[in-house]
Each structure stands twice: as C-alpha cells, then as structure tokens.
Amino acid sequence: MTAILSVQGLVKSYDGRPVVNGATFSATAGECFGILGPNGAGKTTTMRCCLGLTAPDEGGVELCGYSIPAMAREARYRVGVVPQFDNLDPDFTVTENLVMWARYYEISKRDARAMVPRLLELAGLEDRADARIDALSGGMKRRLTIARALVNDPDVLFLDEPTTGLDPQARHLVWDGLRRLAKEGKSLILTTHFMDEAERLCDRLCIMDAGKIIAEGSPRQLIESHIEPVVVEVFGEGVHEWAEKEASVLVERLEVSGETAFCYTHSADAILAAMSSYPQLRAMRRVANLEDVFIKLTGRDIRD
Ligand code: ADP
C-alpha cells in the first residue's frame, strides 16, 4: 500500500520548547487519517510541517511522493487545504471565491467557471452561486471552504478541525460531504479533538499528546486494545461512597471524575446489581468508544 503522507521523527520547537517531539506516522492513499489530540498537542504545527508552511527542526516528511519542505511547491498542486478558520474573501460572491482560488493553480478563468457547478453541488450551495459571503451561515462557509480546496482536483485534502464551531446539523452535512469525497478516492488528513468525528470518519488515526504520537490504529483497534468493552457511568448522590465500597472490588478499571464513576468492565450485570442498596444512584450503560481511549491516554485534565 502506498503512503500518501509519511512523517518520520518530526521535531519542532518554539522558544526552546518542543511542541512536536519526534512524531512518526503515515497515511495510506485513499484513506481518511485523523490526527487527534487535546488543545496544544501539536496537531496544527504537525500539519503545517507536512504542508511545508513551517520548517521542522528535525525529521522528514514525504507528501504525495515529494520531500517536504524541499518540494512543497510541487506537492501543493496535488493537495487541498481547509484551514481551521474560514478565510473566504468577503468582497466576492460564492462563485467568485472559487474562481479566484483557481488562479493560484494557474487554472484559466474559463476552466474555473466550468467547474463551479460541480463544486457548488458538492457543497450543497447550488442556489447560492451569487450570494455574498456574509450572507452565508457558518456551515455554508465551511462547505464552501472545502469546495474551494477542491478546485485543483487534489489527491489529498488536509482539514484542520473541519467542524469546530458548527452546530450538529451543519456538522452532519460536512461529514456527509467528506465521506463522499473519501468514496471518490480522495485521501483525507484531518485534525480534530472531536472523538465522534474521528470515529465516524477515520479509517485510521493517531493520538498526539505533548508533541508525541502515543497511539496509532483504526478506531476499532484502538478501542479493543486499550479499553474494556463495556462502560457503566454511575452518577448521583453518594457515588463516591458507592465507588469506594462497591465498585472498586467489582470492576476491572474504575475512574471517578467529579460526580461520575466510570466503570470499565466486560459485563455490566454485577455493577448494576451492586447499585440496589443505593436507590438515589443512576447509571448509563454503553459500549466503549474512542473518547474512552483518548481520556485513558491523555487524561481528564482540561487543556487551554
Ligand atoms: P494543536 O493544534 O494541537 O492545538 P498547535 O500545534 O497549534 O497545537 O500548538 C502547539 C503548541 O505550540 C502550543 O502551545 C502553541 O502555543 C505553540 N505554538 C504553535 N505555533 C507557535 C508559534 N508560531 N510560536 C510560538 N509557539 C507556537
């Protein structure tokens, strides 16, 4: 299988502090690969190094067969980039934004205009061709930014937190669009801190923390190798006492955070039975997910 992106021992420091610290991973052509991590983990810096926008201190990147940063210009013709914050030009209409962007790739105005209907269709913006940017919703702007990144028909699309700031309906529309692109054979590289996004979209992903890659695999592999299959979240008054007296002797792994006891186990029955003399407690039983893996590996502390 061909690697579309290969990152080896990447190091980047700012003010003497390594923010990317030996990251190594690779993404295969045609897959959706995610880079997950808490805020400040080094995801954006890694992505910038991959695109040749930031020069690493050490390590190597190969993108679409080109060595980066030496051949970043050549690679960029085969790559589309969706930045974290939309940077559409507010002085132009939807169509004009697409046509202007095509000029960076030396695509003629005529050819660019010819591809506009398909890009608008992909973005679900067929009826907004002549709308001004400030008349679009956040979700529409995001979809237009994604469509704009496709003007050069790239092999790989880089997306930095593609659904941050969108409401649930808008997120689903963006996800549908990205799934469609993946089906059409585009490789997608995305950073996110949304676990559900990663679990739904990514074929494989890596988890990054403090500049290091601490896990890599498919969502299912990561869940199976790091987490017990069943999680019972128990909450309510007296949960701390219950956790200490009852749960601690029953479950494979127990974590109490705030007012919730997270019981990681192979079977929920004994845990639910142990709640019988604590009628004020409530429980939610669910299968383990990527968020459990993420929390186990990166901790529950908030990162600002
Ligand atoms: P993430 O995308 O995972 O949130 P970033 O790569 O944006 O992480 O940032 C990682 C760390 O590097 C942060 O602490 C951030 O403040 C720092 N950083 C990023 N870019 C610069 C820069 N140009 N100068 C100084 N520090 C930076």
Side-chain angles (χ1 to χ4, degrees):
M1 288 211 262
T2 334
I4 198 94
L5 171 69
S6 166
V7 174
Q8 287 291 330
L10 200 68
V11 176
K12 178 71 190 175
S13 296
Y14 286 115
D15 308 321
R17 186 175 68 93
V19 299
V20 180
N21 196 0
T24 296
F25 60 88
S26 65
T28 306
E31 79 178 352
C32 176
F33 185 84
I35 306 173
L36 265 72
N39 280 337
K43 305 181 294 293
T44 302
T45 306
T46 300
M47 205 179 240
R48 289 182 60 83
C49 290
C50 291
L51 291 166
L53 301 172
T54 294
D57 302 330
E58 285 174 41
V61 172
E62 210 178 277
L63 173 60
C64 299
Y66 295 109
S67 181
I68 308 293
M71 300 188 80
R73 194 178 146 75
E74 287 82 351
R76 251 180 256 152
Y77 276 85
R78 298 185 53 193
V79 167
V81 180
V82 180
Q84 195 169 337
F85 300 103
D86 294 324
N87 55 358
L88 299 160
D89 194 325
D91 294 330
F92 293 118
T93 65
V94 166
T95 296
E96 286 164 351
N97 263 277
L98 295 172
V99 173
M100 291 293 292
W101 199 254
R103 285 169 73 176
Y104 293 116
Y105 298 95
E106 291 149 41
I107 298 168
S108 73
K109 240 184 187 169
R110 197 170 143 200
D111 287 350
R113 288 207 171 268
M115 63 172 87
V116 164
R118 171 162 158 74
L119 294 171
L120 292 180
E121 192 263 318
L122 263 172
L125 292 173
E126 299 96 319
D127 54 349
R128 305 281 170 151
D130 299 318
R132 296 193 75 82
I133 299 307
D134 53 14
L136 302 181
S137 69
M140 289 174 182
K141 285 184 193 159
R142 205 89 268 261
R143 295 191 326 260
L144 178 58
T145 306
I146 295 172
R148 191 187 63 176
L150 297 166
V151 292
N152 55 323
D153 191 22
D155 299 330
V156 193
L157 201 56
F158 280 78
L159 304 114
D160 197 0
E161 302 198 1
T163 65
T164 294
L166 299 188
D167 62 30
Q169 287 84 354
R171 294 180 78 201
H172 277 277
L173 273 181
V174 168
W175 288 342
D176 290 347
L178 294 181
R179 265 193 291 264
R180 191 170 147 194
L181 292 174
K183 261 203 192 123
E184 288 174 8
K186 303 265 183 237
S187 306
L188 306 179
I189 314 282
L190 63 99
T191 74
T192 183
H193 53 250
F194 293 123
M195 299 305 124
D196 56 340
E197 179 160 287
E199 207 164 332
R200 278 160 194 265
L201 290 180
C202 296
D203 300 302
R204 287 190 320 114
L205 55 95
C206 64
I207 298 180
M208 188 168 205
D209 196 15
K212 291 186 191 308
I213 305 297
I214 54 174
E216 184 175 342
S218 70
R220 185 186 275 196
Q221 280 168 347
L222 290 172
I223 293 165
E224 284 176 2
S225 58
H226 288 281
I227 297 288
E228 297 74 11
V230 178
V231 185
V232 187
E233 292 184 21
V234 181
F235 49 96
E237 206 186 316
V239 71
H240 292 269
E241 183 195 320
W242 175 82
E244 199 180 312
K245 284 194 181 152
E246 307 282 342
S248 59
V249 293
L250 280 176
V251 303
E252 282 103 313
R253 200 159 58 82
L254 173 70
E255 231 182 273
V256 183
S257 176
E259 295 305 307
T260 305
F262 293 84
C263 306
Y264 297 95
T265 181
H266 281 79
S267 161
D269 296 346
I271 296 163
L272 297 173
M275 290 172 63
S276 59
S277 47
Y278 291 77
Q280 72 283 16
L281 291 182
R282 290 164 60 198
M284 194 174 77
R285 180 199 326 209
R286 60 178 174 79
V287 293
N289 60 32
L290 202 53
E291 182 157 352
D292 298 308
V293 178
F294 188 80
I295 296 277
K296 181 179 176 191
L297 298 181
T298 65
R300 287 189 187 274
D301 297 340
I302 303 251
R303 319 285 177 93
D304 292 317

